[in-house]
Amino acid sequence: MSDTEQQTLNLPSLIIVVIIVGLSIRYFFFSPSSNNTGTSNRGRGADPAHVDQIQQMFPQLNRRDIQWDLQRNGGSVQATTERVLGGRGLERPPPSFQPIEPPSSSTPPRPAPSPRKSSHPDLITRYNLAGRISAASQSEDETPEEETSKPQVLWGQSKAERQELLQRRREDMVLTARRKMEERERQREKGKGKE
């Protein structure tokens, strides 16, 4: 009795053995390997999102070269980036390489994102200098030489004094830049008026 029971395989154990053998064959013979550069990736092109990502990091690179390198290394953005940063550059694709362009959609390309608009559009409103501009325009007879002849404290004794001095310097720089810009615009207008 013990000889016949040990020699027979029951149906559930036979199914488990077949499944394990099938999965191991599939794993060893049909899985994409990183060493296999062209066979698994030959039928499809590089992911356009990966190409765009690398092109944004390195705008000097040709899109076709990026696609070739991504296709050769199995779509690894990291490997392509390392190759470029290592100074090795990207190889030129052979003339027979025809990259697959992403299908063009019927929607127009989205515009580049505009810079985020701050709540204060210019420095005058940001630093609340409108009052000083109106005061400066009323006393236009005061020249810049007179402003610089005022005694200036270079560094305050306390933190609050230093903060106030630096803020005043910043405000003066903004107002001086504005004054120079307005002066240049007036000169341009005068130059256009003479012609």
Side-chain angles (χ1 to χ4, degrees):
M1 181 169 129
S2 65
D3 278 341
T4 59
E5 287 180 12
Q6 289 179 352
Q7 292 178 356
T8 61
L9 288 173
N10 57 6
L11 188 59
S13 63
L14 183 62
I15 291 173
I16 291 174
V17 168
V18 169
I19 289 174
I20 291 174
V21 169
L23 289 175
S24 62
I25 288 173
R26 182 174 178 218
Y27 176 76
F28 287 116
F29 293 110
F30 297 111
S31 68
S33 75
S34 60
N35 295 336
N36 191 0
T37 57
T39 58
S40 65
N41 210 8
R42 190 176 305 254
R44 61 184 174 98
D47 184 14
H50 292 163
V51 175
D52 290 339
Q53 182 181 7
I54 294 174
Q55 184 122 40
Q56 286 176 354
M57 286 189 282
F58 308 104
Q60 75 275 13
L61 296 178
N62 186 353
R63 187 171 184 85
R64 188 169 183 256
D65 295 346
I66 295 170
Q67 288 176 335
W68 170 250
D69 194 69
L70 282 173
Q71 186 170 343
R72 284 186 58 226
N73 65 27
S76 173
V77 174
Q78 182 179 3
T80 301
T81 305
E82 289 292 326
R83 186 171 290 118
V84 173
L85 289 176
R88 293 175 283 177
L90 300 180
E91 293 180 11
R92 293 273 177 209
S96 62
F97 174 68
Q98 296 300 320
I100 299 171
E101 294 298 323
S104 61
S105 62
S106 61
T107 60
R110 56 188 168 133
S114 62
R116 190 180 71 152
K117 298 199 178 202
S118 65
S119 59
H120 302 292
D122 60 1
L123 295 175
I124 302 301
T125 55
R126 179 183 291 174
Y127 298 125
N128 298 324
L129 299 176
R132 287 190 59 186
I133 288 177
S134 61
S137 64
Q138 290 174 357
S139 63
E140 264 185 24
D141 54 343
E142 185 178 345
T143 62
E145 291 82 21
E146 292 173 354
E147 289 177 9
T148 57
S149 65
K150 293 179 184 176
Q152 291 185 348
V153 179
L154 295 176
W155 201 249
Q157 297 297 323
S158 69
K159 184 176 181 180
E161 281 181 38
R162 290 190 296 266
Q163 180 81 20
E164 185 179 329
L165 284 172
L166 291 174
Q167 185 174 356
R168 194 174 311 133
R169 286 181 191 166
R170 179 182 61 203
E171 291 172 356
D172 289 341
M173 286 172 41
V174 169
L175 292 173
T176 303
R178 180 183 174 91
R179 216 175 293 122
K180 287 180 181 179
M181 181 187 70
E182 288 174 345
E183 195 174 304
R184 268 190 244 127
E185 286 178 359
R186 275 190 240 124
Q187 288 177 355
R188 252 190 239 138
E189 289 175 8
K190 286 179 184 178
K192 286 181 182 179
K194 290 181 182 178
E195 293 176 3

